[in-house]
Amino acid sequence: MRLLLTLLLAIGLVPQPVQYTPQKSRECFREAVVSLEPWQQQEAYRLTISKKRVKTEALTPEGRFRAQKTLEQLRLLGDLPQGTIFDYPRFRHRGLMIDESRSFKGLDFLKKQIDAMALLKLNVLHLHLDDSAGWRIESEAFPDLTGKTAFRKGYTYHEWEAGKYKFTTADDPEGYGGYYTKEQLRELVLYAAARFITVIPEIEMPGHSMEVGYAYPEVLCVLPDGKTHTGAWDLCPGNEATYKLLEAVLEEVMDIFPSPFIHIGGDEATMKTWPQCINCARRMEEEGFTQVRQLQGYLMRRIEAFVRSHGRRIIGWDEILETGVPEDAVVQSWRGVEGGRKATQQGHDCIMSPNTHCYYNYYQDLIRKEPKAVGELVSLRFTYGFEPLSEGMDPVHLLGVQANLWTELISSPEHAEYMLYPRLFAMAETAWTPASAKNFKEFRGRARALLDVFRALGYNTFDMDTESGLARSGLQRFPPEGVPLPVDN
Ligand code: ACM
Ligand code: ZN
């Protein structure tokens, strides 16, 4: 038998494909993908590029689309190397979350990011559609959600906070905000689907929901004197009115979004009003609960069953692990990686988006050189270094990875793009490329070239040429006060 030596090379593409070789392939495509998982086969493709023509092989339109995006990126970069690219994804969930509540960026912005995601072979856009700072999705069942909270006093989240969380209406010339109509969201879903991207809507509960109680106070806790606990950030899990609203809204949401997954939040409920509430007390007695936090588990499980009865699965932030994980839930690990590990050990699917590596609202460079951001340093190098599969995790249950862009400090579409690019390139490579084919030094060069393409396409990006030595070093923590930075800062 002839020994076929295959020369494997890196190619100027993000994400880096599984295999590029300057030779033509001798293997039939079906044989090449036979050992892959069915969801990998669905996206797998092979491109054979010669002087005269480009041949595309794939089993599905999705595979052909991924191939087309590879070609498009190579052409944009100005380099169509001859040879064979054989490619398929490492993970089936390759996501980006955008927070549209704290700042509202609009349909054109979302479509533009979908275009970028398609070029990077990302396939999930998770939209955080409601939070205390405003409800952003039309509801016919509960129209005051947008009618009373889609506009606020204060352009930035912090101006709104400083002004004591005041809402206003669309006709207020000083109001800030907006919301997506059902028609716009249907258009967005189609736009994304044409690019093989699923839009996963998030309806947050029971925390981060002050705006819901503002619009419909019957979902709030009731004190022993019969007065409603106005201004609370959590919904009342004891009250039937809460379920009536959530279920009606979720039905509308599921009607708009065909996604197999519906995100129902679950993070950071303060639970402050629950111990004083007569409806919560009654619910606890009925259910035999001894701790108020069990009410959160009750709400999440009840909503999960409702969503499941409509043939969908829920995703919840990793807090759902603490109060009895609903039967069919997917856990999204955000407080580090522990949630993901625990979830898979308990037989639950998980998505990894630890804030340490995947929160692109965190600083990407030195505090003094960057717009005000959050947390520690999530530099390009640091986020690139994220390995989603950690020790003790069951790989069968690891669906994939996701970058999250929270927008308390990000008011404009331009600023949002600045935080996303080039870090989203790193996420794309972590999500698609085999871990063994990743190499930061070599990635940095490819990312730098692609960043020029993004700028030419009209994206506002971070400037890699002015990146500090500290960010380039890949350190996570800013040195403590008084400790000198590396010399070139
Ligand atoms: C989160 O960042 N609170 C999910
Ligand atoms: Zn209550």
Side-chain angles (χ1 to χ4, degrees):
M1 209 176 19
R2 203 161 72 89
L3 186 65
L4 188 69
L5 277 180
T6 309
L7 185 58
L8 294 182
L9 296 170
I11 187 172
L13 258 182
V14 178
Q16 187 61 199
V18 171
Q19 204 178 84
Y20 165 64
T21 144
Q23 298 110 343
K24 270 193 185 167
S25 175
R26 289 158 197 276
E27 198 180 16
C28 133
F29 182 68
R30 277 188 189 276
E31 264 169 38
V33 298
V34 77
S35 64
L36 302 182
E37 296 289 336
W39 54 268
Q40 288 175 311
Q41 291 178 340
Q42 195 171 314
E43 296 193 75
Y45 67 90
R46 188 163 64 192
L47 277 173
T48 310
I49 306 168
S50 65
K51 261 196 196 131
K52 289 201 186 118
R53 68 179 200 128
V54 176
K55 181 177 155 197
T56 303
E57 292 166 286
L59 300 182
T60 67
E62 188 171 1
R64 268 192 292 286
F65 181 80
R66 302 292 174 224
Q68 194 185 317
K69 287 292 152 182
T70 289
L71 268 182
E72 185 179 327
Q73 200 189 112
L74 289 171
R75 287 192 171 120
L76 285 164
L77 287 160
D79 182 24
L80 205 58
Q82 288 178 40
T84 307
I85 295 169
F86 174 57
D87 207 9
Y88 56 86
R90 179 178 177 199
F91 293 113
R92 68 188 92 174
H93 180 112
R94 307 182 298 276
L96 167 64
M97 185 220 72
I98 300 179
D99 168 7
E100 284 296 284
S101 175
R102 276 59 170 268
S103 72
F104 179 67
K105 293 162 288 297
L107 198 62
D108 289 346
F109 169 82
L110 292 181
K111 285 183 176 172
K112 190 174 168 196
Q113 307 327 305
I114 285 173
D115 290 344
M117 289 171 69
L119 203 55
L120 296 168
K121 301 188 177 73
L122 294 168
N123 67 350
V124 173
L125 175 62
H126 161 185
L127 291 180
H128 188 72
L129 285 165
D130 66 295
D131 210 295
S132 294
W135 184 278
R136 310 260 177 245
I137 165 169
E138 179 188 0
S139 166
E140 284 160 277
F142 288 87
D144 285 350
L145 289 169
T146 54
K148 290 194 173 164
T149 81
F151 292 85
R152 70 178 185 225
K153 291 283 193 189
Y155 173 66
T156 69
Y157 179 86
H158 289 286
E159 282 163 11
W160 175 69
E161 194 173 51
K164 302 216 166 24
Y165 312 109
K166 292 211 172 55
F167 290 111
T168 183
T169 47
D171 54 7
D172 179 351
E174 287 177 7
Y176 166 87
Y179 66 91
Y180 295 105
T181 64
K182 290 186 176 184
E183 198 184 330
Q184 284 177 321
L185 290 170
R186 288 201 171 95
E187 184 184 326
L188 188 76
V189 164
L190 287 178
Y191 190 87
R195 289 152 185 81
F196 295 91
I197 290 170
T198 302
V199 185
I200 297 183
E202 179 183 354
I203 298 298
E204 173 75 86
M205 63 190 78
H208 287 279
S209 297
M210 188 266 275
E211 87 291 13
V212 182
Y214 179 84
Y216 292 97
E218 67 264 31
V219 302
L220 292 170
C221 283
V222 177
L223 298 167
D225 63 6
K227 289 206 177 100
T228 299
H229 202 305
T230 50
W233 282 54
D234 302 326
L235 305 175
C236 171
N239 195 336
E240 277 307 301
T242 300
Y243 299 92
K244 195 165 161 235
L245 182 143
L246 290 175
E247 290 178 4
V249 164
L250 284 168
E251 272 185 347
E252 292 182 282
V253 164
M254 288 187 275
D255 189 48
I256 299 168
F257 296 93
S259 161
F261 298 100
I262 304 293
H263 204 304
I264 61 168
D267 59 317
E268 298 182 311
T270 69
M271 306 182 195
K272 274 191 190 151
T273 59
W274 301 354
Q276 305 139 27
C277 168
I278 52 172
N279 292 322
C280 285
R282 196 186 52 242
R283 182 79 67 192
M284 284 184 68
E285 200 182 314
E286 281 166 10
E287 296 296 323
F289 294 157
T290 53
Q291 297 172 327
V292 283
R293 60 205 293 277
Q294 290 174 281
L295 289 166
Q296 156 123 351
Y298 171 85
L299 181 139
M300 298 311 274
R301 287 192 298 276
R302 188 165 156 182
I303 297 294
E304 188 278 331
F306 177 78
V307 171
R308 182 158 32 93
S309 75
H310 287 69
R312 315 290 184 96
R313 282 180 82 185
I314 67 126
I315 304 174
W317 299 110
D318 62 41
E319 279 89 338
I320 65 171
L321 282 163
E322 291 161 13
T323 51
V325 187
E327 188 176 309
D328 202 21
V330 178
V331 176
Q332 184 161 3
S333 195
W334 74 276
R335 297 174 300 176
V337 299
E338 199 47 43
R341 195 176 297 146
K342 259 198 209 141
T344 70
Q345 284 168 354
Q346 293 174 19
H348 299 287
D349 288 343
C350 84
I351 295 160
M352 298 306 292
S353 61
N355 54 355
T356 49
H357 292 76
C358 303
Y359 271 37
Y360 291 171
N361 50 320
Y362 281 33
Y363 280 98
Q364 59 192 322
D365 206 339
L366 303 180
I367 292 173
R368 67 170 156 72
K369 115 181 220 307
E370 290 303 302
K372 189 168 165 48
V374 183
E376 295 292 346
L377 191 54
V378 179
S379 64
L380 183 65
R381 179 163 181 172
F382 193 72
T383 189
Y384 186 83
F386 177 54
E387 169 46 45
L389 183 63
S390 58
E391 209 178 305
M393 194 182 267
D394 181 350
V396 168
H397 288 295
L398 174 57
L399 299 186
V401 285
Q402 193 174 299
N404 292 336
L405 189 72
W406 300 102
T407 60
E408 288 94 331
L409 292 167
I410 302 169
S411 303
S412 71
E414 295 74 26
H415 187 181
E417 288 179 0
Y418 178 85
M419 302 305 272
L420 288 177
Y421 309 107
R423 288 187 289 187
L424 201 61
F425 301 174
M427 183 52 62
E429 189 142 314
T430 299
W432 180 279
T433 306
S436 59
K438 285 177 72 183
N439 172 321
F440 179 72
K441 206 165 156 231
E442 186 264 310
F443 164 79
R444 196 175 190 285
R446 288 184 280 118
R448 177 68 194 78
L450 188 59
L451 204 60
D452 281 345
V453 167
F454 268 60
R455 286 189 179 180
L457 291 171
Y459 291 86
N460 185 45
T461 76
F462 173 78
D463 183 356
M464 284 175 69
D465 295 341
T466 65
E467 193 181 23
S468 72
L470 185 78
R472 280 188 188 218
S473 74
L475 277 184
Q476 180 190 12
R477 306 215 168 263
F478 291 114
E481 228 26 70
V483 173
L485 297 174
V487 280
D488 64 341
N489 289 290

